[in-house]
């Protein structure tokens, strides 16, 4: 067995942390550099120690042979240093940790790669940034904290923003800080620094005519709805902001409306409150920036579907309180007001999907029957216009909305297309509706993919018809129906979703199938990450190696137990090898899932 | 390929000086380097660099320079090793060692021709060279360049100092315009950034862009693929 006998560089006697390659003593007596894999003699290693290029451990620490090929990075924490508490992390929660141990006043964390160390560094830098931004300390007291962060990762974009601001925010500070940041992170640096620069400016939204007609001001109900809409915007984007700026988690409060100028129906927002921390100011400024972006028709933050609907609904209520209302806003840092840009009227429509024939049922209607909700799978309900098919015409077959009463929950074929806007949002257009009990046998050509949320499996032909009032025949399968109700419709829809999942995977196993990718880049689930990693090993891989691959590839920090849990939750897709319980293998369905996922990811926008 | 040099300085100011103006020879007559130089008949102290990676497999600071940056003398091994540990030369007399070294030393302009001979353009040889592994199937460079005196350095040694190209010059090395990449310990880098801010040293912005985070080992490892690709494509 190999032993860790030293590390690159010197002990952090006067500082809090050092880190670098590990020196491993091999069974043949040679010393291996864990990073370069160069091998030198013990004598040569001693010479490097004498010259101050490397340091020795007081006692060698055995390292399992399975880590020999890893590019181990060793972090040495000085337990006596002022900031030892910040650097201490729960070893049980650290991903990619080969071995933690203590020796002579130092704590050692041996990571399996620089990537694993970087995740630890990111975690600790968030703690540092939280303290730096929320503290009312002077720069003399903050500087050691910033230096500590720099020692962990000098290229961190937000750490460099903090360093630039707190070092004096002069040109030299900003230039040095920006140079530190890696090219692919410079945008994040610029964005946060600019937000800070403009954090004393106000942001205003103004209504004219329409709801503000009659000499200005707003009726109380309109004012209440508008303020509620702003609050709704806040609650929908807050989780995404916290995800992005973890160090400001506690400070994403609802936006502060400094003035409501009733006479001109103007709402003025500010991030600059008296006697508040820099963290709060920054968090408020970030949220106003996002608000302004949303009202400028720019790309909104990547929200999950329910939050996106909440966000877009709130945005619509702010931007168009009534058709006659003119809404302008004064962007931060600008003197002139500009019209807001409704996201649904933005130019730059990118793509419209093929027409999809979807099996579903109408689950609701709203806005005086101008919009209807159609349920097309156990997990997807679309809200579509019943008066505009995307080309200004009324969809075919919707006259029933005004002529009949019992149209809810009836199995029907909805022909729908999806238009992807430049902003990354999508709009579904209804082209026609035909009830199954009126059409006889027909077919579906698409259903929502069970592999990726908001993707569709399409370009197939699956027959479907009703058989009396109690059965639905889908392909070769019979699905029972009861008395028409939401519960009954949900039940047959659930069964249909299971059938369609089998259908999708069966085709994928044979490498057949076409998918309409989700409108936004697909966020890989834990299962997806396992499948992507497994596909790089032909569907079979030792769990520890798999976890390592996942952590490196997806920049996450999962552990072996997380991956075992994924298998437990998906026994139809994954199993452990009967001969070796450490090896995870995909099933035939799992192979299909992986192929389908690869198709969706490769075509995702 | 690039020239690598590992070095150590106690203070950020001294590290910055090396980055800006290059490193100078160690003139201390008591240093091992200088004693070896005297033994080998070098008239004046030298700064050393190694082609493809650095001899210091672990190091505190490191610089990497372009191939044309070194104007001096080259040899296909670590010359200091001739005195201490490279077999069989270390057991020879001083006169024999000096004579041997003269035969195995060339001026830098010869480098392109010589590295075409060794490690050459075959992927296996080039990869072995960049990873510090023993050259395959030959006992020494004299089997590839038959005008050289015979010495089975590759066969008789187990240490990559017996088959790495060394460059030596009177310094400073590297000149600023030839600095390609550099590294230092993480806390030293933080001190350097503070130093540049305090002294309003805007030129440090250019140096930051060449910084490789993670120490000498990371510096060596991170440039292997690039060097191999360029070398085989050239």
């Amino acid at each position: 067995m190999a032993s860790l006998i030293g590390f690159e560089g010197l002990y952090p006697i006067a500082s809090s942390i050092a880190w670098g390659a590990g020196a491993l003593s091999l069974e043949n007596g040679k010393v291996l550099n864990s990073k370069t894999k160069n091998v030198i003699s013990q004598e040569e290693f001693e010479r490097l120690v004498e010259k101050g290029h490397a340091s020795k451990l007081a006692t060698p620490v055995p390292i399992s042979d399975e880590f020999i090929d890893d590019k181990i990075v060793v972090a040495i924490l000085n337990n006596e240093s002022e900031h030892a508490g910040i650097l201490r992390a729960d070893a049980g929660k650290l991903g990619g940790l080969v071995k933690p141990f203590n020796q002579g006043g130092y704590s050692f964390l041996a990571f399996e790669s620089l990537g694993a160390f970087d995740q630890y560094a990111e975690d600790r830098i968030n703690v540092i940034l939280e303290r730096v931004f929320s503290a009312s300390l002077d720069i003399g007291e903050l500087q050691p904290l910033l230096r500590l962060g720099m020692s962990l990762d000098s290229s961190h974009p937000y750490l460099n923003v903090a360093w630039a601001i707190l070092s004096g925010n002069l040109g030299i500070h900003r230039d040095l800080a920006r140079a530190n940041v890696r090219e692919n992170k410079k945008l994040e640096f610029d964005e946060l620094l600019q937000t800070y620069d403009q954090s004393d400016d106000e942001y205003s939204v103004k209504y004219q005519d329409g709801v503000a007609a009659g000499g200005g001001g707003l009726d109380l109900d309109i004012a209440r709805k508008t303020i509620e809409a702003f609050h709704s915007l806040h609650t929908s984007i807050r989780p995404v902001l916290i995800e992005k700026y973890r160090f400001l988690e506690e400070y994403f409060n609802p936006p502060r409306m400094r003035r409501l100028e009733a006479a001109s129906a103007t709402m003025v927002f500010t991030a600059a409150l008296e006697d508040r921390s820099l963290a709060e100011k920054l968090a408020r400024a970030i949220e106003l920036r996002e608000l302004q972006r949303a009202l400028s028709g720019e790309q909104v933050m990547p929200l999950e579907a329910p939050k996106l609907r909440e966000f877009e609904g709130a945005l619509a209520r702010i931007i168009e309180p009534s058709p006659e209302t003119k809404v302008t806003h004064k962007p931060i840092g600008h003197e002139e007001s500009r019209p807001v840009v409704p996201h649904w009227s933005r130019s730059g429509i990118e793509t419209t999907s093929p027409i999809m024939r979807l099996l579903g049922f109408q689950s609701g209607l709203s806005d005086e029957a101008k919009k209807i909700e159609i349920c097309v799978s156990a997990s997807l309900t679309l809200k579509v216009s019943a008066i505009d098919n995307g080309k200004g015409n009324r969809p075919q077959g919707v006259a029933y909305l005004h002529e009949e009463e019992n149209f809810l929950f009836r199995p029907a074929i909805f022909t729908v297309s999806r238009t992807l806007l430049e902003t990354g949002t999508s709009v579904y257009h209804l082209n026609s509706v035909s009830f199954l009990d009126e059409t006889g046998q027909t077919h579906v050509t698409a259903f929502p993919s069970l592999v990726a949320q908001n993707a569709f499996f399409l370009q197939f032909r699956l027959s479907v018809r009703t058989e009396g009032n109690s059965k639905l025949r889908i392909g070769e399968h019979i699905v029972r129906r009861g008395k028409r109700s939401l519960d009954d419709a949900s039940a047959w829809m659930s069964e249909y979703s299971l059938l369609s999942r089998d259908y999708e995977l069966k085709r994928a196993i044979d490498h057949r199938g076409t998918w309409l990718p989700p409108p936004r880049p697909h966020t890989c689930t834990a299962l997806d990450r396992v499948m992507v990693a497994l596909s790089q090993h032909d569907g079979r891989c030792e769990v520890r190696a798999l976890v390592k691959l996942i952590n490196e590839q997806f920049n996450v920090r999962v552990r072996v137990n997380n991956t075992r849990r994924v298998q437990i939750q998906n026994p139809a897709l994954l199993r452990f090898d009967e001969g070796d319980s450490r090896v995870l293998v995909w099933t035939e369905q799992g192979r299909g899932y992986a192929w389908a996922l690869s198709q969706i990811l490769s075509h995702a926008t | 390929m690039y020239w690598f040099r590992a070095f150590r300085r106690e203070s950020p100011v001294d590290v910055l000086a090396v980055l800006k103006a290059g490193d100078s020879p160690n003139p201390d007559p008591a240093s091992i380097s200088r004693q070896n130089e005297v033994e080998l008949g070098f008239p004046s102290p030298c700064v050393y660099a190694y082609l493809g990676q650095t001899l210091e497999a672990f190091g505190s600071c490191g610089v990497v320079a372009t191939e044309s940056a070194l104007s001096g003398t080259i040899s296909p091994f670590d010359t200091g090793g001739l005195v201490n540990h490279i077999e069989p030369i270390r057991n020879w007399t001083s006169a024999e060692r000096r004579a041997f070294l003269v035969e195995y030393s060339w001026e830098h302009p010869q480098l392109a021709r010589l590295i075409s001979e060794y490690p050459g353009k075959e992927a296996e040889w080039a990869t072995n060279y960049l990873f510090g592994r023993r050259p395959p199937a030959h006992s020494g460079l004299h089997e590839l360049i038959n005008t050289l005196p015979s010495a089975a350095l590759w066969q008789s040694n187990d240490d990559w100092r017996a088959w790495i190209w060394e460059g030596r010059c009177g310094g400073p090395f590297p000149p600023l315009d030839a600095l390609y990449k550099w590294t230092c310990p993480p806390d030293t880098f933080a001190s350097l950034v503070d130093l540049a801010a305090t002294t309003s040293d805007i030129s440090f912005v250019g140096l930051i862009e060449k910084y490789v985070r993670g120490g000498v080992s990371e510096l060596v490892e991170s440039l292997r693929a690039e060097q191999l690709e360029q070398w085989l494509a050239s």
Side-chain angles (χ1 to χ4, degrees):
Chain A
M1 183 181 280
S3 297
L4 185 68
I5 61 165
F7 54 88
E8 179 172 29
L10 301 170
Y11 278 94
I13 295 169
S15 58
S16 301
I17 184 170
W19 56 272
L24 298 175
S25 175
L26 305 176
E27 282 181 350
N28 62 9
K30 298 280 187 180
V31 178
L32 174 81
N33 179 314
S34 67
K35 190 81 191 177
T36 64
K37 302 301 173 192
N38 285 338
V39 175
I40 57 174
S41 64
Q42 184 74 38
E43 184 187 24
E44 175 67 8
F45 178 67
E46 297 288 350
R47 193 178 72 82
L48 293 173
V49 172
E50 276 175 32
K51 288 175 72 174
H53 289 305
S55 298
K56 272 174 81 172
L57 296 180
T59 312
V61 175
I63 295 285
S64 169
D65 286 343
E66 64 184 312
F67 296 110
I68 293 287
D69 293 333
D70 288 341
K71 292 177 179 174
I72 291 174
V73 168
V74 183
I76 306 98
L77 321 181
N78 182 349
N79 291 336
E80 304 297 320
S81 76
E82 185 186 354
H83 301 118
I86 292 176
L87 293 171
R88 212 167 290 133
D90 182 351
K93 291 181 180 172
L94 288 177
L97 187 63
V98 174
K99 183 160 252 177
F101 58 95
N102 291 295
Q103 270 189 22
Y106 295 95
S107 293
F108 293 78
L109 298 169
F111 293 92
E112 65 189 14
S113 64
L114 182 58
F117 170 78
D118 280 346
Q119 286 176 1
Y120 160 77
E122 165 77 21
D123 196 47
R124 297 297 92 197
I125 285 174
N126 274 306
V127 174
I128 291 170
L129 287 176
E130 190 181 343
R131 291 198 186 188
V132 164
F133 280 125
S134 60
S136 53
L137 305 172
D138 64 34
I139 183 61
E141 292 168 294
L142 294 176
Q143 203 66 267
L145 278 173
L146 292 169
R147 281 180 55 93
L148 177 61
M150 286 284 186
S151 297
L152 286 161
D153 183 0
S154 58
S155 69
H156 195 285
Y158 303 144
L159 179 71
N160 276 288
V161 169
W163 184 86
I165 293 172
L166 296 166
S167 296
N169 205 15
L170 301 174
I172 179 74
H173 302 121
R174 298 165 77 102
D175 290 344
L176 288 168
R178 193 171 193 279
N180 272 338
V181 179
R182 271 192 290 271
E183 211 52 45
N184 63 349
K185 296 283 183 184
K186 284 201 193 304
L187 190 62
E188 291 171 40
F189 171 87
D190 292 340
E191 191 178 54
L192 188 61
L193 192 56
Q194 186 187 23
T195 301
Y196 168 78
D197 286 343
Q198 297 179 336
S199 59
D200 286 326
D201 296 341
E202 291 180 334
Y203 175 62
S204 62
V205 180
K206 182 177 181 179
Y207 288 171
Q208 289 173 286
D209 303 333
V211 297
L218 292 171
D219 291 343
L220 274 183
D221 60 335
I222 299 292
R224 179 178 59 81
K225 279 184 187 170
T226 307
I227 289 169
E228 281 174 356
F230 275 111
H231 189 264
S232 192
L233 277 187
H234 161 72
T235 56
S236 58
I237 65 171
R238 186 171 182 272
V240 184
L241 293 175
I242 289 173
E243 179 71 25
K244 189 170 179 183
Y245 303 102
R246 276 169 52 198
F247 51 94
L248 297 175
E249 179 171 0
E250 289 178 23
Y251 299 95
F252 283 112
N253 301 314
R256 170 65 66 96
M257 190 185 293
R258 173 163 276 170
R259 296 190 301 281
L260 176 58
E261 296 171 356
S264 57
T266 301
M267 285 156 281
V268 182
F269 297 90
T270 183
L273 306 182
E274 288 177 10
D275 301 326
R276 303 293 171 92
S277 65
L278 180 56
E280 183 170 344
K281 184 178 186 182
L282 207 46
R284 287 180 180 280
I286 288 167
E287 187 154 350
L288 288 185
R289 179 191 74 199
E290 293 305 317
L291 188 63
Q292 175 192 308
R293 282 180 176 172
L295 268 65
S296 301
E298 291 177 25
Q299 176 87 44
V300 294
M301 302 200 82
L303 302 169
E304 296 293 329
K307 288 290 181 191
L308 182 62
R309 278 197 290 276
E310 182 185 343
F311 180 86
E312 294 193 335
L315 196 56
R317 292 197 295 278
I318 293 168
I319 286 180
E320 197 178 77
S322 77
E324 301 78 24
T325 307
K326 289 178 196 159
V327 188
T328 57
H329 65 154
K330 197 185 284 182
I332 297 162
H334 290 79
E335 291 301 318
E336 317 80 36
S337 292
R338 299 173 181 184
V340 298
V341 184
H343 70 288
W344 53 84
S345 69
R346 285 169 206 144
S347 58
I349 288 175
E350 290 185 349
T351 51
T352 298
S353 73
I355 299 279
M356 300 182 283
R357 292 176 62 84
L358 301 166
L359 173 62
F361 62 86
Q362 185 179 334
S363 56
L365 78 168
S366 61
D367 204 7
E368 297 174 343
K370 289 179 187 163
K371 288 182 179 167
I372 64 172
E373 286 176 6
I374 53 176
C375 176
V376 293
S377 82
S379 58
L380 184 63
T381 299
L382 307 175
K383 202 169 189 177
V384 292
S385 170
I387 56 172
D388 181 2
N389 65 359
K391 294 172 184 163
N393 302 318
R394 179 182 290 269
Q396 291 177 13
V398 294
Y400 69 86
L401 291 169
H402 302 285
E403 296 167 1
E404 298 179 29
E405 289 185 350
N406 297 319
F407 46 77
L408 293 178
F409 317 128
R410 281 171 75 183
I413 295 294
F414 299 91
T415 63
V416 170
S417 64
R418 189 184 76 187
T419 300
L420 184 62
L421 300 172
E422 197 180 41
T423 55
T425 54
S426 57
V427 178
Y428 290 91
H429 291 294
L430 177 66
N431 284 268
S432 68
V433 184
S434 50
F435 292 109
L436 274 191
D437 49 14
E438 292 175 358
T439 57
Q441 178 154 322
T442 182
H443 62 277
V444 296
T445 61
F447 51 70
S449 169
L450 272 297
V451 173
Q453 200 177 28
N454 295 322
F456 284 83
F457 184 59
L458 42 77
Q459 292 185 6
F460 58 88
R461 192 180 172 94
L462 182 63
S463 64
V464 54
R465 69 168 190 263
T466 52
E467 292 188 353
N469 287 330
S470 61
K471 292 178 191 167
L472 198 58
R473 179 178 283 276
I474 301 168
E476 299 303 311
H477 299 273
I478 297 288
V479 175
R480 302 247 166 227
R481 296 167 54 203
K483 190 178 175 184
R484 188 141 49 88
S485 65
L486 176 59
D487 285 349
D488 173 62
S490 300
W492 66 254
M493 181 53 79
S494 294
E495 203 168 335
Y496 171 57
S497 291
L498 289 175
L499 287 174
S500 52
R501 177 189 170 101
D502 288 346
Y503 188 84
E504 183 180 7
L505 292 182
K506 196 171 174 186
R507 290 206 153 208
I509 289 166
D510 298 334
H511 288 196
R512 290 190 296 155
T514 305
W515 285 264
L516 178 68
R520 290 161 189 272
H522 175 63
T523 305
C524 281
T525 62
L527 173 63
D528 295 346
R529 292 193 292 258
V530 169
M531 287 305 191
V532 169
L534 263 184
S535 63
Q536 291 164 49
H537 290 271
D538 292 330
R540 177 187 175 82
C541 186
E542 197 270 316
V543 176
R544 210 189 70 81
L546 195 70
V547 167
K548 188 179 164 196
L549 186 61
I550 289 169
N551 286 337
E552 285 177 359
Q553 197 160 336
F554 292 95
N555 195 25
V556 291
R557 207 164 59 190
V558 299
R559 288 167 289 162
V560 168
N561 281 350
N562 302 121
T563 305
R564 289 188 181 280
R565 199 174 304 129
V566 170
Q567 188 280 323
I568 290 167
Q569 290 165 346
N570 298 279
L573 304 178
L574 294 164
R575 64 179 172 80
F576 281 99
D577 188 287
E578 287 168 8
D580 186 347
S581 61
R582 294 172 307 170
V583 174
L584 193 63
V585 185
W586 64 29
T587 63
E588 191 174 59
Q589 278 209 339
R591 181 165 62 82
Y593 184 100
W595 189 77
L597 184 64
S598 71
Q599 297 299 300
I600 292 168
L601 292 177
S602 67
H603 291 105
T605 50
Chain B
M1 282 190 273
Y2 301 112
W3 290 108
F4 286 71
R5 172 169 172 77
F7 66 97
R8 185 178 165 213
R9 291 292 185 280
E10 297 299 335
S11 82
V13 174
D14 292 340
V15 173
L16 193 58
V18 172
L19 295 175
K20 286 192 163 183
D23 205 359
S24 300
N26 182 356
D28 180 3
S31 72
I32 293 173
S33 296
R34 187 62 203 135
Q35 287 174 14
N36 288 342
E37 286 167 345
V38 170
E39 172 62 27
L40 293 168
F42 293 178
S44 53
C46 297
V47 184
Y48 298 85
Y50 301 93
L51 194 67
Q53 59 178 316
T54 169
L55 262 183
E56 312 296 359
F58 303 89
S60 54
C61 300
V63 285
V64 178
T66 50
E67 206 171 283
S68 59
L70 191 140
S71 54
T73 309
I74 54 174
S75 294
F77 40 72
D78 168 36
T79 49
L82 296 182
V83 180
N84 297 316
H85 52 80
I86 293 180
E87 303 284 357
I89 319 296
R90 73 184 186 103
N91 297 316
W92 293 2
T93 65
S94 286
E96 287 170 332
R97 273 201 292 254
R98 289 183 185 191
F100 176 83
L101 183 54
V102 167
E103 295 289 337
Y104 275 81
S105 295
W106 296 268
E107 290 308 302
H108 179 263
Q110 301 290 321
L111 179 67
R113 178 181 65 80
L114 290 163
I115 59 176
S116 295
E117 301 282 347
Y118 167 71
K121 292 295 181 74
E122 276 186 36
E124 183 191 3
W125 278 71
T127 305
N128 275 347
Y129 180 82
L130 287 169
F131 277 80
R133 297 182 201 130
R134 187 198 303 273
H138 290 278
S139 66
L141 188 59
H142 61 279
E143 292 186 17
L144 299 176
I145 304 175
N146 55 22
T147 54
L148 292 172
S150 175
L153 299 194
W154 298 349
Q155 189 180 55
S156 309
N157 293 280
D158 197 17
D159 187 325
W160 60 311
R161 281 175 293 184
W163 49 78
I164 192 166
W165 282 102
E166 175 195 278
R168 52 189 185 275
C169 61
F173 177 84
L176 179 59
D177 57 359
L179 181 68
Y180 179 60
K181 299 280 180 190
W182 64 280
T183 191
C184 68
D187 60 329
T188 303
F189 182 77
S191 301
L192 285 171
V193 175
D194 285 342
L195 179 66
T198 309
T199 56
S200 296
D201 181 0
I202 195 69
S203 69
F204 193 66
V205 169
L207 286 173
I208 288 176
E209 284 160 2
K210 297 174 179 175
Y211 174 65
V212 174
R213 170 178 164 260
V216 172
S217 300
E218 180 67 28
L219 183 71
V220 168
E221 211 273 326
S222 68
L223 291 173
R224 271 183 180 147
E226 179 185 326
Q227 291 189 95
L228 186 63
E229 193 177 318
Q230 284 181 5
W231 175 237
L232 295 179
S234 65

